[in-house]
Amino acid sequence: MSDSLRLIEQPEWNALQTHHRTMALCHLRALFAKDPHRAERFTAEAAGWRLDYSKNRINADTVRLLVNLAHACGLPNAIAAMFRGDVLNVTENRPVLHVALRNRSNTPILVNGRDVMPEVRTVLQQMNAFAQAIRRGEWKGHTGQAIRNILNIGIGGSDLGPAMACEALRLYADPHLRIRFVSNVDGAHFYEQTRDLDPAETLFIVASKTFTTQETMMNAATARAWLLARLRDEAAVARHFVAVSTAEREVIRFGIRPENMFRFWDWVGGRYSLCSAIGLPLMIAIGPDRFEEMLDGFHAMDRHFAETPFEQNLPVLMGLLGIWYINFFGAQTHAVLPYSQYLARLPAYLQQADMESNGKSTDRHGRPVAWSTGPVLWGEPGTNGQHAFFQLLHQGTVLIPADFIGFAAPHPDPLAARHHPTLLANFIAQTEALAFGKTADEVRAEPTPEALVPYKTFEGNRPTNTLLADALTPRTFGALIALYEHKIFTQGVIWDIYSFDQWGVQLGKVLAGRILRELEAEPEPPLRHDSSTNALIRRLRGVRPQHS
Ligand code: G6Q
């Protein structure tokens, strides 16, 4: 995009506005009736995934105009710049190179003229050796017992990815190992995650890029106290703590040996770090081979994103469809609905990936944006959501585009497999119902008393994407996460915002530091906040435990 023309001044944007006036009046019923090949026309495949986007309020012109916009906004150059290692995270002066973490080709990737691939491979080997030692029971705790419990202590990007992935790939995990996650600074989280564990067979992974994050450092200190209270020997720390970080000095200061530290680099953003050493709990759970299969899946989607024309490019298409609804239909939220219990944490993970990346209101020239950017992303696994919030999707007053994610193959357990046709029937039925609804005449013909007809009528015309893979494997899982990462990238480029910083989380952190001092200081210091904040601080100073 040229400096002089902002997004909404582009002729390609205006063309979409004009086109929207026509499309806003079209119903999906009519679009499907007109074109018997519509499903085929609007389906694309990559890296084990099939995206059917035919149940969207689009025609061939919509796709053409959206692709034109992507070109006008410089998406091809932006993709090339990311893979080249350019400094895309300008406000933090860093390249954005999560694609290097799963670069399975022999192509070098340069940061400041230096190939980062040898270091990436070295850390993967270090993780591999460590994961094998734990899985084989060779890594012993301080008292000589094998490790059975792994607790990851981290938050945000150092928690959500591995926590979501361990759940997603549970079927592939070693059932003898318990992998748990502690993130919240609420001490109840640590307490509940450890109360039934024996410290002698517990290993803590302290995962923090900066190794200064308040919550993580507090949980790590508590973990240390918990361990030493039972094992009563400082030397135990070396056998029960490892670190994943970029900050060696802080790691050593905590008492973790450098050889027990797994490194990553400042060019890996927290919410894009699952393929780095942040994935260590996952590698321990599923083993190095499965972890590498996951990296292969990520890489396959990376190549697809970098090399495929936009008309067949899954992340680009999904990004553009999001732009279509957010910027032209005024949608403010986007639902992600996996029809897989294993993907229960996917919406929470994508909430961070998407909302922390594209929840911005300043453009890349420091000006306020004059268009909507990232939506509220939310969701729950199907079929649970159907019995909860789907009412609003079907008959509410807001337009909510939704992604339905499903898998063809049944669960390998024969009893669980018997559920699969029912799961799939619901998966398919929902997108059909959302698109086509039910007319008043159809309701009347049921027959239905006239007074109830308006309540039982479904307008339809509610857009969905269907994402389908053969099975949830490490490979398809990796490809799915990369798909969403690149969708987010696509949208950030078009909205002309910096997707890889997160200044919006700073202010609250700074204020919390000040308020903590005010809560704990004796006597009460002068409070100079507003009257609400002052009153809350006074009310909560010196509160003691109340539970018996
Ligand atoms: C992610 C964010 C943020 C970060 C956490 C944890 O993109 O930067 O969620 O991951 O604040 O930070 P540390 O890893 O430094 O503890």
Side-chain angles (χ1 to χ4, degrees):
M1 189 167 6
S2 76
D3 277 6
S4 49
L5 281 189
R6 302 190 76 193
L7 175 60
I8 52 175
E9 295 159 0
Q10 303 276 337
E12 291 78 5
W13 181 275
N14 292 333
L16 277 160
Q17 274 187 318
T18 310
H19 177 65
H20 170 254
R21 275 179 227 129
T22 319
M23 291 309 292
L25 305 173
C26 276
H27 199 288
L28 281 166
R29 277 186 220 122
L31 292 169
F32 271 89
K34 202 157 70 188
D35 178 4
H37 301 292
R38 183 174 169 88
E40 219 174 290
R41 193 182 307 287
F42 296 118
T43 293
E45 295 194 31
W49 284 96
R50 172 193 165 95
L51 168 67
D52 176 346
Y53 60 104
S54 62
K55 292 191 182 97
N56 279 288
R57 295 172 66 174
I58 58 167
N59 62 19
D61 285 339
T62 323
V63 176
R64 184 177 51 79
L65 294 172
L66 285 167
V67 166
N68 288 349
L69 180 70
H71 281 281
C73 293
L75 184 60
N77 285 342
I79 296 173
M82 173 167 71
F83 281 86
R84 216 171 32 224
D86 287 8
V87 175
L88 293 192
N89 182 356
V90 171
T91 64
E92 295 180 317
N93 193 26
R94 291 172 187 165
V96 173
L97 269 180
H98 40 281
V99 292
L101 302 169
R102 63 267 187 148
N103 172 20
R104 315 294 287 162
S105 72
N106 285 323
T107 326
I109 296 189
L110 307 180
V111 171
N112 298 326
R114 209 165 57 89
D115 184 11
V116 296
M117 289 315 301
E119 281 177 86
V120 169
R121 287 189 205 105
T122 303
V123 175
L124 275 173
Q125 277 158 14
Q126 185 198 5
M127 290 166 65
N128 185 321
F130 181 72
Q132 298 281 24
I134 297 277
R135 288 166 64 85
R136 293 188 185 129
E138 292 163 6
W139 179 283
K140 304 282 190 231
H142 185 63
T143 61
Q145 282 172 255
I147 296 297
R148 291 183 50 225
N149 314 312
I150 312 286
L151 248 89
N152 189 83
I153 297 181
I155 195 165
S158 299
D159 165 74
L160 284 161
M164 178 275 295
C166 282
E167 193 62 36
L169 298 177
R170 213 185 171 122
L171 188 58
Y172 302 88
D174 181 339
H176 303 105
L177 291 170
R178 262 189 236 143
I179 316 266
R180 293 186 183 170
F181 292 82
V182 176
S183 53
N184 201 334
V185 78
D186 180 349
H189 201 184
F190 183 87
Y191 173 77
E192 291 296 343
Q193 294 292 59
T194 52
R195 65 192 292 197
D196 58 342
L197 301 185
D198 177 356
E201 45 187 39
T202 301
L203 178 101
F204 291 98
I205 300 175
V206 185
S208 175
K209 184 170 165 181
T210 54
F211 232 71
T212 54
T213 303
Q214 184 188 48
E215 293 90 334
T216 302
M217 290 304 108
M218 193 153 206
N219 276 319
T222 299
R224 200 192 156 102
W226 178 82
L227 186 89
L228 294 179
R230 322 264 168 102
L231 298 186
R232 299 181 182 285
D233 184 354
E234 279 284 333
V237 172
R239 301 303 299 168
H240 292 267
F241 279 84
V242 299
V244 176
S245 188
T246 60
E248 180 164 343
R249 211 174 320 147
E250 276 75 14
V251 169
I252 294 172
R253 196 174 303 146
F254 182 86
I256 295 175
R257 293 191 188 146
E259 65 268 26
N260 292 339
M261 170 178 170
F262 300 83
R263 284 174 182 71
F264 62 116
W265 308 272
D266 70 357
W267 42 263
V268 183
R271 55 193 174 274
Y272 295 90
S273 64
L274 175 60
C275 297
S276 73
I278 289 291
L280 185 61
L282 176 66
M283 192 193 272
I284 294 171
I286 64 173
D289 293 347
R290 297 293 197 188
F291 191 86
E292 294 208 355
E293 285 168 30
M294 178 190 80
L295 297 183
D296 291 340
F298 268 97
H299 182 62
M301 189 59 80
D302 291 347
R303 295 319 317 158
H304 168 77
F305 180 53
E307 291 161 6
T308 312
F310 290 171
E311 292 79 359
Q312 279 98 47
N313 192 312
L314 268 59
V316 173
L317 287 168
M318 284 178 59
L320 291 174
L321 288 165
I323 302 270
W324 180 232
Y325 294 117
I326 293 161
N327 297 110
F328 298 92
F329 283 82
Q332 294 195 339
T333 86
H334 184 94
V336 176
L337 308 167
Y339 275 61
S340 160
Q341 190 58 31
Y342 287 121
L343 293 181
R345 297 282 294 157
L346 180 69
Y349 170 80
L350 291 178
Q351 256 169 0
Q352 180 190 27
D354 200 316
M355 293 163 74
E356 203 166 63
S357 297
N358 286 342
K360 311 276 165 73
S361 50
T362 304
D363 75 9
R364 284 182 288 187
H365 306 278
R367 301 170 297 202
V369 294
W371 47 89
S372 293
T373 61
V376 175
L377 191 142
W378 58 282
E380 280 289 324
T383 57
N384 293 1
Q386 290 175 207
H387 298 264
F389 52 78
F390 271 48
Q391 163 66 37
L392 185 146
L393 296 187
H394 286 286
Q395 290 188 314
T397 52
V398 284
L399 178 78
I400 302 181
D403 298 343
F404 281 72
I405 302 171
F407 300 94
H411 196 281
D413 176 77
L415 270 181
R418 286 171 45 200
H419 295 225
H420 204 58
T422 311
L423 177 70
L424 288 184
N426 279 281
F427 171 67
I428 301 169
Q430 287 298 325
T431 61
E432 185 183 25
L434 285 163
F436 301 103
K438 196 174 194 182
T439 62
D441 286 345
E442 285 166 347
V443 177
R444 262 182 214 110
E446 274 183 345
T448 304
E450 194 55 33
L452 287 184
V453 169
Y455 300 100
K456 299 180 85 174
T457 300
F458 289 68
E459 178 197 19
N461 216 14
R462 316 233 162 177
T464 58
N465 289 319
T466 298
L467 274 166
L468 189 61
D470 284 344
L472 178 56
T473 63
R475 185 184 281 269
T476 55
F477 169 76
L480 179 68
I481 303 306
L483 165 58
Y484 276 100
E485 286 178 348
H486 298 319
K487 172 200 166 182
I488 293 164
F489 180 86
T490 298
Q491 295 188 330
V493 170
I494 291 174
W495 286 324
D496 195 24
I497 53 179
Y498 289 126
S499 297
F500 296 100
D501 58 19
Q502 55 284 315
W503 297 108
V505 298
Q506 291 304 324
L507 177 60
K509 281 192 202 172
V510 173
L511 291 180
R514 176 174 157 196
I515 292 174
L516 175 61
R517 288 190 292 279
E518 291 166 344
L519 280 173
E520 293 186 329
E522 287 301 345
E524 182 184 302
L527 299 178
R528 299 203 176 83
H529 303 267
D530 58 279
S531 59
S532 161
T533 309
N534 286 344
L536 285 167
I537 294 171
R538 286 199 185 101
R539 169 70 184 79
L540 294 172
R541 273 177 56 84
V543 172
R544 301 276 165 262
Q546 302 248 327
H547 307 280
S548 52

